[in-house]
């Protein structure tokens, strides 16, 4: 079963692309998007819905062929955003924060396969092109944790970095 984790990333969109990821981890070398059940994506913060200016967080359950994703948040170009995704582990819950505000949570059902630690983590990848192009933007601070951050810890990260990114 997949272990608990959290990802905290600062990102500035320079334009928008459908089905792009700010950060994602894969099961293997394929960069397929979840449509049609062909995904090798284990987790993602990015444009999961296909609408070009929204971001959410999600986990693909490869065993069940289902995608659990949070509510979306609308973004504008040339603005820094702080995205945090937490996962409680197992058949637990993912929670998505944008700029220290909880956007929503989603239950992850069933047994989630743990991608191997050696499987790639990619940043700024556009999947509409089969993963061949970059998701347009600028990457700031990136932190990956092997625990589920509490809301207090999410706030601590926000407070630590926010002045660097204009807040």
């Amino acid at each position: 079963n997949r272990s608990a984790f959290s990802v905290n990333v600062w990102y500035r969109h320079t334009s928008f692309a459908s089905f792009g990821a700010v950060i994602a981890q894969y099961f293997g070398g394929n960069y397929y998007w979840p449509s049609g059940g062909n995904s090798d994506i284990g987790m993602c913060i990015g444009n999961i819905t296909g609408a070009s200016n929204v971001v959410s967080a999600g986990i693909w359950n490869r065993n069940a062929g289902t995608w659990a994703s949070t509510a979306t948040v609308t973004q504008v170009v040339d603005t820094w955003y702080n995205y945090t995704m937490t996962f409680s582990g197992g058949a637990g819950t993912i929670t998505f924060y944008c700029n220290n505000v909880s956007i929503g949570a989603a239950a992850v059902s069933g047994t989630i396969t743990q991608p191997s630690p050696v499987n790639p983590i990619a940043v700024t990848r556009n999947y509409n092109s089969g993963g061949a192009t970059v998701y347009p933007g600028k990457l700031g601070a990136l932190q990956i944790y092997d625990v589920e951050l509490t809301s207090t810890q999410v706030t601590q990260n926000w407070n630590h970095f926010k002045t660097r990114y204009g807040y």
Side-chain angles (χ1 to χ4, degrees):
N1 234 354
R2 183 159 195 148
S3 302
F5 71 87
S6 298
V7 176
N8 182 59
V9 61
W10 284 85
Y11 197 74
R12 181 178 178 168
H13 304 271
T14 55
S15 65
F16 291 104
S18 298
F19 301 111
V22 174
I23 184 169
Q25 183 182 23
Y26 308 94
F27 289 104
N30 295 323
Y31 297 106
Y32 298 119
W33 200 253
S35 59
N38 297 322
S39 178
D40 271 349
I41 295 176
M43 71 78 159
C44 180
I45 297 174
N47 183 294
I48 298 169
T49 66
S52 67
N53 65 336
V54 297
V55 173
S56 60
I59 290 181
W60 174 252
N61 184 341
R62 192 178 198 187
N63 295 324
T66 58
W67 182 252
S69 62
T70 65
T72 61
V73 59
T74 302
Q75 310 291 263
V76 296
V77 296
D78 296 324
T79 301
W80 282 102
Y81 292 97
N82 176 231
Y83 302 124
T84 304
M85 174 185 184
T86 66
F87 177 57
S88 62
T93 301
I94 56 173
T95 304
F96 179 53
Y97 299 83
C98 180
N99 294 347
N100 198 39
V101 175
S102 177
I103 302 304
V108 179
S109 60
T111 302
I112 306 295
T113 301
Q114 174 87 14
S116 167
V118 300
N119 285 358
I121 293 178
V123 294
T124 68
R125 180 75 65 173
N126 182 350
Y127 298 96
N128 237 8
S129 63
T133 60
V134 173
Y135 189 57
K138 297 181 181 198
L139 183 68
L142 169 63
Q143 300 160 297
I144 301 172
Y145 300 88
D146 62 357
V147 297
E148 178 186 20
L149 295 179
T150 66
S151 60
T152 300
Q153 291 167 319
V154 170
T155 298
Q156 287 171 342
N157 280 340
W158 165 257
N159 288 334
H160 180 77
F161 287 106
K162 68 182 181 181
T163 55
R164 182 185 300 181
Y165 296 101
Y167 289 93

